[in-house]
Amino acid sequence: MAAASAGSLLPEQLAALPVPVRSWYERPSLEVAADLLGALLTTRSAEGEVTLRITELEAYDGEDDPGSHAFRGRTARNAVMFGEPGRLYVYRHLGLHHCMNIVTGPAGQASAVLLRAGEVVHGIDLARARRAAAGVVDSDRQIARGPARLTVAVGVDLTDNGVDLTEPDGTRVLRRLPGAPRPVHATGPRVGVSGDGGDAERFPWRLWLTGEPTVSAYRPAYRRPTSRNSPRRGTTSA
């Protein structure tokens, strides 16, 4: 089983894979993130079942991380991040689309891993239909390439905020190939994170499988153009 690839496994074989227990997630977010690469997320609904192999993600370290939603403390929006590890933290970004995170670290110390991209290894027809209903899909590699596309493909939205991934019979469950070594991966700055949280040297916390076509393109944070007469950053007008 350890030598098999995710795409070569039948649904019943996938269902037999081990589900990490809650304590597995109770570690630093960057450490969990590296071990989540190649893991399998299965979602079930009345429409059917979709399984995704995780190929790209980002780690966030809560109140010690200026790029994290929890940097300024607990709010109604980020409360799940302060709860049990191994649960989903789902939020709506800019009122446009959903992003899915997995809570890590000890309860009370908010940290999480954002799922950025993946390869659909089972249920691809359903995932493709969901994506086509939400926008253009020009190839299968684009089905879950980027955090917004990913949540659409697997059918996750705000109703999944707080859902437990550690229950084998749950509607959202994460599994890993037993005995699989940590896959070869690259690291770099997180996508679209501005300010100190976007510091590439301090936070090279985007991780992705090398040579994987489903990995999204890197984009730096948007910076609003300034006029020639605007004061430069770090200066004040007289």
Side-chain angles (χ1 to χ4, degrees):
M1 183 74 75
S5 66
S8 68
L9 298 176
L10 299 173
E12 57 268 27
Q13 293 175 306
L14 281 168
L17 293 177
V19 176
V21 297
R22 196 171 313 285
S23 59
W24 186 85
Y25 296 96
E26 199 171 356
R27 298 179 288 150
S29 58
L30 190 60
E31 185 177 326
V32 175
D35 289 333
L36 282 172
L37 285 170
L40 302 162
L41 174 70
T42 297
T43 62
R44 304 186 186 95
S45 70
E47 296 178 298
E49 186 173 295
V50 173
T51 296
L52 180 92
R53 180 176 67 99
I54 300 170
T55 61
E56 179 191 2
L57 32 69
E58 291 175 347
Y60 289 88
D61 196 24
E63 293 170 289
D64 294 324
D65 180 354
S68 172
H69 285 181
F71 181 59
R72 291 181 173 82
R74 182 170 179 154
T75 65
R77 183 196 194 199
N78 67 25
V80 170
M81 290 180 69
F82 290 82
E84 292 182 317
R87 292 185 179 272
L88 285 182
Y89 165 49
V90 183
Y91 64 90
R92 194 163 177 82
H93 180 61
L94 300 177
L96 299 174
H97 55 258
H98 298 98
C99 291
M100 174 171 43
N101 304 256
I102 298 176
V103 178
T104 61
Q109 299 179 21
S111 63
V113 176
L114 170 69
L115 304 189
R116 283 202 53 85
E119 174 197 14
V120 178
V121 296
H122 286 291
I124 193 167
D125 290 340
L126 174 56
R128 189 188 298 114
R130 285 170 171 166
R131 283 276 295 107
V136 177
V137 184
D138 58 15
S139 67
D140 284 353
R141 83 183 185 101
Q142 297 281 8
I143 290 177
R145 186 172 183 251
R149 294 170 176 172
L150 187 154
T151 53
V152 170
V154 299
V156 164
D157 59 24
L158 286 177
T159 63
D160 294 295
N161 191 35
V163 164
D164 193 350
L165 295 179
T166 68
E167 299 177 354
D169 297 325
T171 59
R172 282 85 173 97
V173 60
L174 187 128
R175 294 182 171 87
R176 298 178 72 242
L177 292 168
R182 183 174 286 181
V184 176
H185 64 276
T187 63
R190 297 175 296 199
V191 176
V193 178
S194 60
D196 292 341
D199 187 327
E201 293 187 5
R202 183 181 174 192
F203 295 106
W205 285 8
R206 172 176 170 246
L207 290 72
W208 66 94
L209 297 178
T210 55
E212 171 55 54
T214 62
V215 171
S216 66
Y218 172 73
R219 294 182 178 87
Y222 171 77
R223 297 180 185 275
R224 180 177 298 176
T226 57
S227 70
R228 181 178 300 176
N229 295 325
S230 298
R232 293 176 297 171
R233 175 172 292 187
T235 67
T236 58
S237 55

